Amino acid sequence: MTKKEMIKTVQKFEAQAFLQLKQDESIWGADDRWTSRSRARWIGIEALMNELGIKSDITLPENQEAIILITARVNQEVEY
């Protein structure tokens, strides 16, 4: 595996973890234990990426879906 492929793989794992976090927040709420586990997993991957100097790839489908969830939550909060 080349360095470029490794970076893409780490970015993919981070995007999947971020999407899972946002899905869990949407389903269970921000303070639920499942959400906390998802958050811890994502934070671990993000910390590794920061140490290695790898940036998130917001163009990945998982990150795009997470952005949709975030936008929907923000829009819902604005309505209240």
Side-chain angles (χ1 to χ4, degrees):
M1 183 179 282
T2 66
K3 182 179 176 181
K4 189 174 186 174
E5 290 170 331
M6 283 187 238
I7 290 170
K8 289 196 175 291
T9 299
V10 172
Q11 288 172 323
K12 180 80 170 169
F13 280 126
E14 185 269 339
Q16 291 169 342
F18 188 61
L19 175 57
Q20 186 63 57
L21 169 59
K22 294 304 162 188
Q23 288 172 333
D24 288 348
E25 284 177 350
S26 178
I27 294 168
W28 308 110
D31 297 324
D32 186 79
R33 66 184 174 118
W34 293 110
T35 304
S36 294
R37 289 178 183 177
S38 294
R39 185 177 298 107
R41 180 172 183 256
W42 173 71
I43 287 171
I45 296 169
E46 184 187 37
L48 174 66
M49 289 176 68
N50 286 333
E51 287 293 318
L52 297 174
I54 299 172
K55 297 197 182 292
S56 295
D57 181 354
I58 62 167
T59 65
L60 291 171
E62 293 88 347
N63 278 332
Q64 293 296 307
E65 191 173 337
I67 290 168
I68 290 168
L69 290 172
I70 293 166
T71 303
R73 188 186 75 219
V74 168
N75 287 340
Q76 186 179 21
E77 290 174 3
V78 169
E79 289 176 7
Y80 291 111

